[in-house]
Amino acid sequence: LAITLCTLFMQLASGAVSTEEINITAILLRIPASIIGAVAIGSVIGLTLAAYFKRRHTSIRATEKFMILVALSIMFVEVGSSLHLASLLGVMTIGFILLERCEHIAHELAGKLSKAWVIAEILLFVLIGIAVNPQAALTVGLPGIGAVVVGLTARSAGVLLSLAGSPLTRPERLFCVIAYIPKATVQAALGAVPLAMGIAHGETILSLAVLSILVTAPAGLLGIRLLGPRLLGQELRDQESILYKDI
């Protein structure tokens, strides 16, 4: 949903779509269709891969499975973007299906993806750092920090709303809020897109994305490290005491 709206706003800002061409009803109907279509296609791909991997498990190396999975995922994203599908959600669905249908192969692929992510992560953040204009970053300043704080406040409210009615205790819900503070990968991946599209103030948008990383990543890490044991420690001790009583 967020990436679909982000793409729409970038098209508006770049002039690819005019405000006269926008049909709010069509946009609202496109969002569930985009999600359902992506999940359906992702499920088909996931089931096909799971059956193929299980049948050829001994004859195909883990590296080959990794390359097949990555190639299909990239193709899915490219084709899904042209069809206005939530292709990233479809890729996640592929992973869910593989984990459900062939767990040992899914963990094998996860190990390969973790190794590839080490290199990809360095490239992603190095390239995003090179693209940042220091002068534009300085202009963001306190208003940029205020925008990040407002966004985190809304996101925290959304986390609490999503946990309403769950069996989690208040300390556990508060820990979930803290755990959702860090932001980095999506901001780094999408922050430079407006600049690449030639959108006005693209450098400011990129600088704000980098600022959100610099503010939220350390704050979230410290919150998890310092408050996690205090918020979850008592709950774990209570569970242990109940377990001992049952024993």
Side-chain angles (χ1 to χ4, degrees):
L1 175 61
I3 293 177
T4 301
L5 294 176
C6 181
T7 303
L8 174 63
F9 292 146
M10 286 191 293
Q11 291 176 346
L12 287 173
S14 64
V17 179
S18 63
T19 54
E20 290 78 10
E21 297 176 354
I22 296 179
N23 186 332
I24 300 299
T25 304
I27 292 175
L28 294 177
L29 292 176
R30 184 193 303 173
I31 292 175
S34 171
I35 295 174
I36 294 173
V39 171
I41 297 175
S43 299
V44 172
I45 296 175
L47 291 172
T48 304
L49 284 178
Y52 180 73
F53 287 160
K54 285 195 294 186
R55 187 171 64 252
R56 304 289 301 275
H57 177 60
T58 57
S59 60
I60 300 180
R61 297 171 56 186
T63 303
E64 294 174 328
K65 297 173 189 172
F66 163 77
M67 295 178 66
I68 293 173
L69 176 63
V70 172
L72 285 176
S73 299
I74 293 175
M75 291 175 58
F76 186 15
V77 170
E78 292 297 326
V79 175
S81 298
S82 61
L83 297 177
H84 304 290
L85 295 177
S87 50
L88 296 181
L89 183 60
V91 172
M92 294 173 61
T93 304
I94 295 175
F96 295 150
I97 296 295
L98 289 175
L99 184 61
E100 181 68 24
R101 293 284 180 168
C102 46
E103 184 175 354
H104 62 289
I105 297 177
H107 289 303
E108 187 178 57
L109 290 170
K112 293 292 183 180
L113 289 168
S114 298
K115 294 178 181 178
W117 174 239
V118 173
I119 301 175
E121 186 177 22
I122 295 174
L123 291 175
L124 175 63
F125 287 101
V126 167
L127 291 176
I128 202 70
I130 294 174
V132 173
N133 185 346
Q135 294 181 349
L138 292 176
T139 60
V140 175
L142 292 178
I145 295 177
V148 172
V149 172
V150 171
L152 288 178
T153 302
R155 186 179 182 88
S156 300
V159 172
L160 292 175
L161 182 62
S162 67
L163 294 176
S166 70
L168 297 181
T169 62
R170 287 186 179 180
E172 290 173 338
R173 297 183 188 189
L174 180 57
F175 178 78
C176 290
V177 171
I178 297 173
Y180 269 86
I181 289 178
K183 299 286 164 284
T185 308
V186 175
Q187 283 69 19
L190 296 181
V193 174
L195 180 61
M197 295 176 63
I199 296 176
H201 306 292
E203 291 183 344
T204 303
I205 297 174
L206 174 59
S207 300
L208 182 59
V210 174
L211 179 64
S212 69
I213 297 172
L214 296 177
V215 171
T216 62
L221 176 62
L222 291 175
I224 293 172
R225 290 286 181 88
L226 298 179
L227 298 179
R230 298 182 181 180
L231 295 174
L232 302 180
Q234 184 60 45
E235 303 299 325
L236 294 176
R237 286 192 293 271
D238 292 342
Q239 293 176 7
E240 288 179 355
S241 62
I242 293 175
L243 178 61
Y244 291 146
K245 289 180 180 179
D246 292 340
I247 294 176

